Amino acid sequence: MAAAMPGASVASPLRLLFAALIRPLGGDAEPLSEDAIARLVDQARAGDTGARHTLYVQHVDRVFRTVRGMLRSAADAEDVTQDAMLTVLTSLHKYTPRADARFAAWVMTIAVNTARRRFRRRRPALTPTGELPEIPDDGADPADGLDRARRRRALLIALAELSERERVIVSLRYGAELNASEIGVAVGVEPATIRKILERARTRLGARIEGLLAPAGGMR
Amino acid sequence: MNDDELAGAWTTIEPTVDQRRRIDAHVFAWLEARDTTLAAEWLGLLRLRPFSAAGLVAVSAVTVATAPPLMWLALALW
C-alpha cells in the first residue's frame, strides 16, 4: 500500500518528459514517493506550474477510476474528475500534511465530496426500489479487447448492486489504493468499521463478478 | 476474488484516451484562464486581433474624451 517507490525522489526533467509523453496515452504516471509529492505541493503553492502539472498527472487517472466506481456513468465520472482536480489544484494552500494519510487521501476526500454533490443532485433519478438503474454507458473504448470490456461491464454491474457507502469505500480501496485509515479520513468513519465494510463488500463484489464472468453467467 | 484480482478489475475502468484528453483540456483551459492576468489578456488581444483591439481602444478614447464634459453638463443641469 505504501506509495514510496525506490529511486523516486525529485521531479527530474527526465521524469517530467516521461509524464508528458505518457499523458496523451491516458496512462498513470510512475508513482512518486510521498516526500517528492510534498515537495511538488510546496513548489506548486509557490506558483510552479510544472509542479502543478506533475501533481495533476500523478492523480487524475486514480481520481477517475475511483469516482467511476461510485457513479453510474462515464460522463458523470468525467465531470466529477474535472471538478475535483480543479478543486485540488486551486486549493493546495489549504492542504495540511497528516501523519496518518498521504496526499492522495486528501485528493480523494475532495473527489468523494464532489461525487457526493452529484449523488444528491441525481437522487430523484433512482428507481422506485432505490436500486441504481442498468448501466447506460460503460464508457467502453472501441480499441479495448472483448475480454476487458466484459470484465469492465461485470465490475460496473456488481458495483451498482452495492449500497452507496459500500461503493464509495471499495472504490477508495481498489480505485484509489488507499488503506483503511486513509479511507476513514476521507469518509469520516473509523478504520475498524471500514475494514468490516470492506470485507463484506469484497466478498459480495468478488462473487458477483465471478458469477457474471462464468460461462453460464449470461455475459458475452 | 482476492485483493489483487479486485485491484486488477479496477484497471478496466481507467479513463479512455478520449476521456483523458477531454479532462486534460478542460482542466488546463480553466487553469490557464485563471493564471492569465488582465494585462496579459489585453496584450494577447492586441497581438491576435489588431482590428478588434484598435476598435476597443478607439471606443475607450472617445469615452474618456466625452465623459467629463457630459458629466459636467449633467451636473450643471441638475
Side-chain angles (χ1 to χ4, degrees):
Chain A
M1 273 309 299
M5 295 286 290
S9 53
V10 292
S12 67
L14 196 62
R15 195 180 302 285
L16 290 174
L17 176 66
F18 174 74
L21 285 174
I22 66 163
R23 190 159 64 89
L25 302 175
D28 257 344
E30 183 191 352
L32 296 175
S33 71
E34 197 58 15
D35 285 347
I37 293 282
R39 275 194 295 276
L40 285 169
V41 170
D42 287 341
Q43 289 163 1
R45 279 168 165 169
D48 182 340
T49 53
R52 187 175 70 185
H53 184 268
T54 308
L55 283 174
Y56 172 83
V57 172
Q58 283 284 310
H59 294 92
V60 62
D61 284 352
R62 215 193 297 191
V63 167
F64 181 91
R65 61 175 179 253
T66 304
V67 299
R68 182 64 190 97
M70 300 176 196
L71 300 170
R72 287 178 303 163
S73 79
D76 283 347
E78 218 176 297
D79 288 349
V80 169
T81 303
Q82 288 171 4
D83 291 352
M85 288 310 299
L86 273 174
T87 306
V88 167
L89 296 176
T90 57
S91 309
L92 289 172
H93 59 283
K94 295 181 186 168
Y95 170 65
T96 311
R98 294 175 59 131
D100 58 343
R102 291 169 291 161
F103 176 73
W106 182 74
V107 172
M108 294 307 156
T109 306
I110 290 173
V112 168
N113 290 337
T114 309
R116 277 187 171 150
R117 281 198 292 276
R118 192 158 286 256
F119 279 140
R120 279 199 291 272
R121 282 209 299 272
R122 292 292 178 83
R123 192 145 285 171
L126 292 174
T127 58
T129 57
E131 292 169 355
L132 289 163
E134 282 291 303
I135 313 296
D137 161 29
D138 66 3
D141 189 335
D144 272 359
L146 193 61
D147 182 55
R148 189 176 164 84
R150 280 178 69 237
R151 288 192 296 132
R152 173 173 46 234
R153 189 157 177 78
L155 173 63
L156 292 172
I157 290 171
L159 278 169
E161 292 169 0
L162 297 180
S163 70
E164 179 188 319
R165 183 156 92 150
E166 288 171 329
R167 270 202 309 278
V168 169
I169 288 171
V170 293
S171 295
L172 286 169
R173 173 68 188 87
Y174 298 107
E177 297 162 16
L178 300 186
N179 60 36
S181 301
E182 291 171 328
I183 296 170
V185 170
V187 299
V189 176
E190 285 297 310
T193 310
I194 296 288
R195 285 189 198 96
K196 277 183 201 161
I197 295 170
L198 260 178
E199 193 53 45
R200 200 171 50 232
R202 177 168 44 205
T203 306
R204 279 179 60 200
L205 198 63
R208 185 68 174 120
I209 292 172
E210 282 174 348
L212 286 163
L213 292 176
M219 280 193 60
R220 284 167 178 76
Chain B
M1 287 181 97
N2 62 32
D3 245 24
D4 289 343
E5 287 169 330
L6 277 173
W10 249 264
T11 63
T12 64
I13 53 173
E14 295 273 352
T16 63
V17 173
D18 283 346
Q19 285 166 341
R20 177 65 192 273
R21 276 201 192 113
R22 284 195 295 270
I23 294 167
D24 291 357
H26 181 273
V27 170
F28 287 106
W30 198 95
L31 287 174
E32 197 180 331
R34 181 177 173 268
D35 292 344
T36 308
T37 62
L38 195 58
E41 292 276 1
W42 269 94
L43 287 173
L45 188 67
L46 285 168
R47 192 169 61 246
L48 295 176
R49 295 183 179 177
F51 295 110
S52 306
L56 276 172
V57 169
V59 169
S60 302
V62 169
T63 306
V64 167
T66 56
L70 285 175
M71 279 183 68
W72 176 81
L73 184 65
L75 285 171
L77 291 173
W78 186 63

